[in-house]
Amino acid sequence: MSSTTTHEHDADASIERAAYVWNTAAGLLNAFQSVVMLVVLSHVCDPVQAGIFTIAYANANLFLNLGKYGVRNFQVSDVDEKYAFAPYHAARVVSVLGMIVFGVAWTAWSALTVGYTVEKTLVVLMMLLFKAIDAYEDVFHGNYQQHGRLDVGAKVLTLRMVSMIVVFAGLIAATRDLLLSLTVTTVFTELFFVGETIWARRSFGLPCDDAPQQTGRLGRQTVALLRECFPVFLALFLLFYIGNAPKYAIDAVMDDVAQAQYGYIAMPVFVVGLLAGFIYNPIIASLADDWAAGRRDAFARRFALQALIIVGITLVCIAGAWLIGVPVLNLLYNTELAPYKVDLLVLLAGGGFLAMATFFTTGLTIIRWQNKLIPGYVVVSALAFVACPFAVGAAGIDGASWVYLGLMAILTVWFGIVFALGVKRG
C-alpha cells in the first residue's frame, strides 16, 4: 500500500470517527432539546405556559415532516446520484413553503375550533417558523452526508443546538415571556444557520453538486423527486400524527395543565426514538450500498442487529423509568407525577414501537418499497382519529397512554411484515 493510499485511508477513518462522535452529540442534543426547554419553562413559568409549549412543539414537529418531506434518507441513499443537489434544494424550498402555509392554516383552524388565546396562537405560529429552519437546513446536511461528510453537518448542528438552548433558557429566565423568548431564539438560530452554511461552503466546498442538471430540467427533476418521495413523506407525516393524536385529543377536550402533565411523561417517548435514530442514521448510506450491490444477507444481518439495539434501548429506558423515572421527572419539571407512573411505562413501551416502526420505514425506503407504507398509515391514522378522542374523553391521560401504545404496536407489526416480504422478494 502506497503512502498516499495509507494517508487517504487514515483521513477517511478520521472523518468516520468524527462523524460518529459529532452525530452522537447532535442526536443527544436533538433528543433533549425540547426536554431542556420544557424544564426551564416548568421552573420559571406556570404549568399553563408549559402546556402551550407542549402543543406548540407537537404541532410544529407534525408540519416539520412536511418541511423535510421524507427526503433525507432518500437523498443519503442516492448513491448513484439520480438527482443533483439543485433538485433536492428546489424540492426543499417547495416543501418548507408548504410546511408554513399548511401549518398556519392548521393553527388558524385550531384557534377557532378549540379556542386558543392570542398569545397561544402566536406561540404556535412562532414554533412553526422555528422548526422551518430545521427543515431547510436538513437538505444541506443530507448532501454533506451523501458525500461522506456527515461530520461537518453534525458538528454545526451540535453547535447550533447548544447555543440555541442557552439563548432560549437565558431569555426565559430573564423575561419569563415564552413568546418573546421563542421569537428571539428563532431569529438567532436562523442567523446561525446562515453562518454555518457559508462556513461549510468556504471550508469544504459543501454542498457538493457532482452531477449538475441542465437548467431547463430543474423543474421536471424537482417534480419527479417530490413525486418519488411522496409516499415516504405521507408515511412519516401520518406516523407523527398518530404519535401525537393523544395530544390533539387532550388539546380539544382537556386543558393546558393536563397537556403539560401528559407532555412531561410523554417526553421520554421521543427520546427513545431519537436515541435509536442517531445510532442507525450513520449507517444508512452503507446499508444502501449493501442493498444496491446485492449483498442481501449482509443487509439483513446488519438491519436485524440495529433492530435488536432499538429493543435494547427501549428495555433500558423502561427499566430506568420504573426505578427512578418519576422522581427524576418530578425534579426536572417541578411537579408531582407519581399518579402517572404506569402511564410513563406504557408510553415508553409505545415509544419503542414507534422507533421500530420508523426504522422499518427507513428500511423500506432503502429497498425502494416506500409506496407500500401508505395503506398501513392511512388505516392506523383513521383509527387514531376515531379512538383518541374517545379514549381521552373516557379515561383522560390514562386513556391517552394506552391508546398510544396500541396504535404504535399495530404499526410496528404491520411494517415488520411488509419489510420482511420486501427483503425476501428483493
Side-chain angles (χ1 to χ4, degrees), residues 205-221:
L206 297 170
C208 294
D209 206 356
D210 295 336
Q213 302 289 326
Q214 298 176 6
T215 304
R217 297 179 57 195
L218 178 59
R220 293 193 297 273
Q221 291 276 311

Side-chain angles (χ1 to χ4, degrees), residues 4-18 148-149 151:
T4 301
T5 303
T6 301
H7 177 74
E8 290 176 350
H9 180 270
D10 290 343
D12 289 343
S14 177
I15 289 173
E16 186 174 353
R17 285 194 299 269
R149 294 312 304 258
D151 61 311

